[in-house]
Amino acid sequence: MRDCLNHRAGFDRVLMTVAATFLTVSAGSALAQDQARSSAAELAIEAAIPRPEPANVPPPTASDIKLDTTATVQDPAKETAKEPVKADAAPAPDKVETKPSDVAATPAPEAPKSETAKSEPAKTEPAKADTATAPPAPAAPATAAAPAAEPVKAASNVPAADQPVADKLKDIIGAKTSRHFDRKNERAAIEKFYGARDFAPVWTQGGSLTAAAKGVIARLKDAASDGLNPADYPAPDFAAATTPDALADAELKLTASMFDYARQAQSGRMHWSQVSGDILYPEHPVDPSEVLTKVTTATDASAALDSYNPPHKLYKELKAKLAELRGQGSGPVIEIADGPALKYTPAGKKQAEIVVDDPRVPQLRAKLGIAENASDSRYDAAVAEAVRKFQSGAEMKPTGILDDKTVKALNTPKRDKQIDTVLVNMERWRWLPRDLGVPALGDAYVILNIPDYTLKVMQRGQQVWTTRVVTGKPGQHATPLLTETMKYITVNPTWNVPPSIVYNEYLPALQQDPTVLQRMGLKLEQNRDGSVHISQPPGEANALGRIRFNFPNKFLVYQHDTPDKNLFAREDRAFSHGCMRVQNPDQYASVLLNIAMPNDKYTPERVRSMYGKSEIDLKFPTPIPVNITYQTAFVDDAGKLQIRKDVYGRDATMINILKNGRGKDLENVVAHSQPSYSRPATTLPSGVAVANNGGGFGSSGPNFFERLFGAPTPPPAPVGRRPQRVFTR
């Protein structure tokens, strides 16, 4: 028994020795791992330990520390559970170890704070973070991998001298923009433009005007030269603006005036709908953002702002004539006094130059726009030549002598009337497209001038061909002003009589003479809904002649030939119902076809060879723009100002609007009643020959527009046309 006990005691000693050895190794291994790790959790624990003043205070134990259980870290408890270590062998079983990458999940703004500061809301005194004791190694990756905090706003690029003005601009634009800009797109452009530059002023630097501001102000003050009113574009007095508030206000006022100038220079002071319901031009409004960028970045701000005026040659010629008529803008207020006749005599073989001196000459120089030697009182060669040009433009004998008749002409109200006529014509040029032609065809286009009764074909800036035309009668049959594209030509067209002529002229005529339409070669059809359609088949006597030029539009007008050629010999040729009759349609057709299809080599003879009884449509691969204009004032090829009769009263209407207008309200669109092409049911008198006796299209047949111009693809055959139709293109 004793031997057994001795053996058992010896065995126990062996087990205890093995266990002690194992615990020693395990403890050493654990200590080595703990020393190798410098986890964020441990750092957090250390940082959370209160550090009192050096005194006889015992250090806290592990039970005094509560770990942040909300942090996103790895849990090493699962790993340590595998180790056969007793609970009391580990110094802190709840200790949480984190890797540097785990610390990255901690929000960056909390980085200076300790982990325990976040997990101990119950403590009355937050623990002070002692970052000095934390090793720097884990702090670096935590900062680098943390999500980006809210970026710190970069320092303002506004010069210190302009910062007070920028601050005021920011306040005004943010709260009071509508005081300066009443258009939504202009307010948006201002906010975007100034916001992008930290609201720094663009027209001043350190309180002084920039070159761009000087250019803009110069253009605004010279608005009269472009037929505009400088009073509509006031330039603020920057010299009187001595405070940031005043400079900011002047900044926005100048920008607003620049917007107004650019907008009205491009589109006009009045919208064309203010004048009449039979005008339809494409809109081309300015983009305020583009105006700001273009003008403020241009080398020459004045030229950049001037570029919004029409670029057309005829507009620029009118502008030059306006300067001549005004005497550089001040013509109406300069009166030339009566006095002896002034004559300049150049030097000859036997005679010396004779120059007369007269105190009226400086006024005459100003009146005629002679800038050189403005104060010179000598009636020299330059003055005599200016007088000669004036006499020529005023339809006087161009002698170059300033006599009583010439003085009267210079002072007469007729001269003021010419100025008004030029002004409204310049205004109408603003309505037209900036590009009248189509680039694919060498900028080719057709332009018809109603008061001059002429049509021109233009290409590459040059006149290709011209002819006389007959236009609509004044009143309800006036030819509309429009821009459209000619898509095809119809040879041997059918005339589908417009409803206005059917119901206002032909049906009343039938009441007097039931056979009148038959004698005129017209065919009457009554549809199932009771409406009436009248047409004239192709032929030599057709009202449209042999050719129709089609540019579909809402007014249902077109250009065409006519069997009545005698009207072209008259000076005034407003006789049609709105369509335009062309004097030489075969030549016109060949010119257009050679522009649209140059390889087909059309000639007037080839066009005439197509004349017959069947309609032939010649379609243009590229449509040609057609511009119907109203030019009562224009400059001819000899450089002379031509004035035409205001046949439709458009000038008088526009002059009255401009002189008694309502400011920017004139730019608003006026709604007009649209043309009506309805065909009401009609009871025909007895004895009237009806072609289809109630058949026809009925209410579901082609409308009048389709009868006139055809459906898009292909155009339908109106009643009265032969079934066979020839298409060469």
Side-chain angles (χ1 to χ4, degrees):
M1 174 65 76
R2 182 179 295 172
D3 291 337
C4 291
L5 291 175
N6 290 334
H7 288 301
R8 178 63 178 265
F11 182 75
D12 289 341
R13 285 193 297 269
V14 172
L15 286 178
M16 291 176 64
T17 301
V18 172
T21 302
F22 181 81
L23 288 174
T24 301
V25 173
S26 298
S29 175
L31 180 60
Q33 287 185 352
D34 290 342
Q35 290 175 346
R37 295 174 183 154
S38 293
S39 68
E42 292 172 325
L43 295 175
I45 294 173
E46 292 179 4
I49 298 173
R51 301 278 182 177
E53 293 295 329
N56 295 324
V57 180
T61 63
S63 61
D64 295 326
I65 305 302
K66 183 186 293 184
L67 292 179
D68 184 359
T69 58
T70 61
T72 307
V73 295
Q74 294 181 354
D75 185 4
K78 296 180 180 179
E79 299 179 7
T80 56
K82 299 177 182 179
E83 299 180 10
V85 183
K86 293 182 180 180
D88 58 351
D94 292 334
K95 183 183 291 183
V96 179
E97 296 180 359
T98 58
K99 299 178 182 179
S101 60
D102 298 322
V103 183
T106 305
E110 297 293 327
K113 300 180 182 179
S114 66
E115 291 288 332
T116 54
K118 184 177 180 182
S119 61
E120 291 183 25
K123 288 189 176 182
T124 57
E125 292 184 10
K128 296 180 181 179
D130 188 3
T131 56
T133 60
T143 304
E150 183 178 352
V152 178
K153 187 174 181 181
S156 174
N157 294 321
V158 181
D162 293 328
Q163 190 61 55
V165 181
D167 293 338
K168 295 299 180 182
L169 283 171
K170 184 175 182 180
D171 293 340
I172 296 174
I173 292 172
K176 304 176 183 178
T177 311
S178 60
R179 186 180 68 184
H180 299 89
F181 308 98
D182 53 4
R183 285 173 168 78
K184 184 177 180 180
N185 63 338
E186 292 179 356
R187 291 197 297 269
I190 284 294
E191 293 170 2
K192 180 180 178 181
F193 177 80
Y194 281 97
R197 50 188 290 115
D198 291 332
F199 298 94
V202 70
W203 306 127
T204 60
Q205 286 183 354
S208 300
L209 284 177
T210 62
K214 293 176 181 177
V216 170
I217 292 173
R219 175 52 51 192
L220 298 182
K221 290 183 175 180
D222 193 39
S225 67
D226 276 297
L228 302 173
N229 185 1
D232 293 336
Y233 323 106
D237 185 3
F238 281 89
T242 57
T243 65
D245 283 317
L247 284 170
D249 186 65
E251 173 90 11
L252 295 181
K253 284 181 177 178
L254 182 58
T255 305
S257 290
M258 180 187 69
F259 280 162
D260 290 341
Y261 180 96
R263 190 180 63 253
Q264 294 185 357
Q266 177 152 308
S267 300
R269 285 183 284 173
M270 72 177 75
H271 192 269
W272 39 260
S273 62
Q274 297 271 348
V275 180
S276 176
D278 56 4
I279 304 176
L280 183 62
Y281 287 120
E283 304 281 359
H284 47 272
V286 297
D287 178 1
S289 294
E290 189 267 346
V291 174
L292 271 170
T293 302
K294 180 176 181 178
V295 175
T296 57
T297 59
T299 304
D300 186 342
S302 178
L305 191 54
D306 181 51
S307 68
Y308 290 98
N309 286 293
H312 313 107
K313 177 186 175 184
L314 291 177
Y315 170 85
K316 293 179 179 179
E317 291 174 341
L318 283 178
K319 177 179 177 178
K321 288 299 178 183
L322 177 64
E324 292 180 14
L325 289 171
R326 282 177 164 171
Q328 291 298 336
S330 55
V333 299
I334 297 177
E335 293 288 332
I336 306 300
D338 294 333
L342 302 181
K343 179 181 179 180
Y344 167 76
T345 304
K349 293 182 180 180
K350 299 181 180 181
Q351 180 179 320
E353 180 185 39
I354 300 176
V355 178
V356 180
D357 193 282
D358 191 285
R360 298 175 294 166
V361 174
Q363 289 180 308
L364 186 61
R365 289 177 182 270
K367 188 81 171 178
L368 297 175
I370 305 174
E372 186 178 358
N373 300 324
S375 60
D376 193 342
S377 60
R378 296 179 304 159
Y379 193 83
D380 56 15
V383 179
E385 179 61 24
V387 170
R388 185 179 292 108
K389 287 183 178 180
F390 167 77
Q391 291 169 332
S392 178
E395 300 180 356
M396 301 171 63
K397 186 177 180 180
T399 62
I401 300 174
L402 183 69
D403 52 18
D404 292 341
K405 187 177 180 180
T406 303
V407 170
K408 184 178 179 180
L410 283 165
N411 296 331
T412 184
K414 179 182 178 182
R415 185 172 175 79
D416 294 341
K417 184 177 180 180
Q418 287 181 329
I419 291 175
D420 288 339
T421 301
V422 170
L423 286 175
V424 294
N425 276 271
M426 293 174 70
E427 180 76 3
R428 284 193 288 266
W429 274 106
R430 303 183 196 281
W431 300 345
L432 288 166
R434 287 298 180 262
D435 296 321
L436 298 177
V438 55
L441 300 177
D443 293 320
Y445 62 91
V446 174
I447 185 166
L448 187 146
N449 184 5
I450 294 173
D452 193 46
Y453 306 108
T454 55
L455 177 152
K456 296 180 180 180
V457 179
M458 307 293 293
Q459 189 177 33
R460 297 181 180 88
Q462 301 296 321
Q463 178 181 305
V464 176
W465 184 80
T466 185
T467 190
R468 291 188 166 201
V469 296
V470 172
T471 61
K473 302 173 185 177
Q476 63 177 349
H477 296 304
T479 297
L481 308 184
L482 56 84
T483 290
E484 275 297 347
T485 55
M486 188 181 298
K487 296 175 173 59
Y488 64 101
I489 295 173
T490 301
V491 182
N492 308 315
T494 294
W495 182 38
N496 295 289
V497 183
S500 60
I501 300 178
V502 170
Y503 289 92
N504 296 331
E505 299 181 26
Y506 286 172
L507 291 184
L510 285 175
Q511 301 294 333
Q512 304 296 324
D513 182 0
T515 65
V516 64
L517 296 184
Q518 286 179 291
R519 289 187 284 105
M520 294 173 63
L522 300 177
K523 182 188 297 184
L524 184 147
E525 301 164 282
Q526 190 164 29
N527 301 315
R528 288 188 295 270
D529 60 3
S531 62
V532 171
H533 174 66
I534 298 176
S535 62
Q536 186 179 29
E540 198 170 6
N542 188 282
L544 305 185
R546 287 296 190 175
I547 307 176
R548 185 180 68 210
F549 303 87
N550 308 286
F551 42 96
N553 56 85
K554 78 169 189 176
F555 302 107
L556 302 186
V557 296
Y558 42 86
Q559 298 164 354
H560 62 87
D561 182 19
T562 177
D564 300 322
K565 306 290 187 180
N566 61 303
L567 295 178
F568 292 110
R570 300 196 182 185
E571 191 69 23
D572 296 327
R573 297 187 290 275
F575 297 109
S576 78
H577 283 79
C579 289
M580 295 138 278
R581 306 172 191 173
V582 182
Q583 184 175 20
N584 300 300
D586 53 345
Q587 298 177 26
Y588 185 31
S590 66
V591 169
L592 294 176
L593 290 167
N594 283 325
I595 289 175
M597 299 175 284
N599 296 328
D600 289 359
K601 309 297 182 183
Y602 277 92
T603 63
E605 293 75 21
R606 181 179 174 183
V607 172
R608 289 196 298 272
S609 69
M610 301 178 189
Y611 292 173
K613 297 295 184 180
S614 298
E615 283 195 346
I616 301 174
D617 284 347
L618 304 173
K619 297 186 176 181
F620 297 162
T622 301
I624 299 176
V626 176
N627 303 282
I628 311 300
T629 67
Y630 193 85
Q631 302 173 54
T632 55
F634 60 93
V635 179
D636 63 16
D637 294 337
K640 181 180 178 180
L641 177 65
Q642 298 289 338
I643 302 294
R644 294 292 180 263
K645 181 181 177 181
D646 184 16
V647 60
Y648 293 163
R650 299 283 186 259
D651 285 1
T653 300
M654 294 179 66
I655 291 171
N656 180 63
I657 291 175
L658 288 177
K659 290 186 175 181
N660 305 290
R662 303 169 303 280
K664 296 180 183 178
D665 290 344
L666 296 180
E667 299 178 58
N668 296 334
V669 177
V670 175
H672 294 276
S673 59
Q674 297 300 306
S676 175
Y677 306 111
S678 61
R679 296 170 292 171
T682 302
T683 301
L684 298 174
S686 59
V688 175
V690 180
N692 58 350
N693 195 25
F697 288 100
S699 59
S700 61
N703 59 33
F704 178 72
F705 188 89
E706 291 171 338
R707 288 173 182 266
L708 188 60
F709 291 119
T713 10
V719 173
R721 293 186 180 178
R722 292 175 176 253
Q724 182 181 4
R725 232 175 149 189
V726 181
F727 293 87
T728 61
R729 275 287 184 192

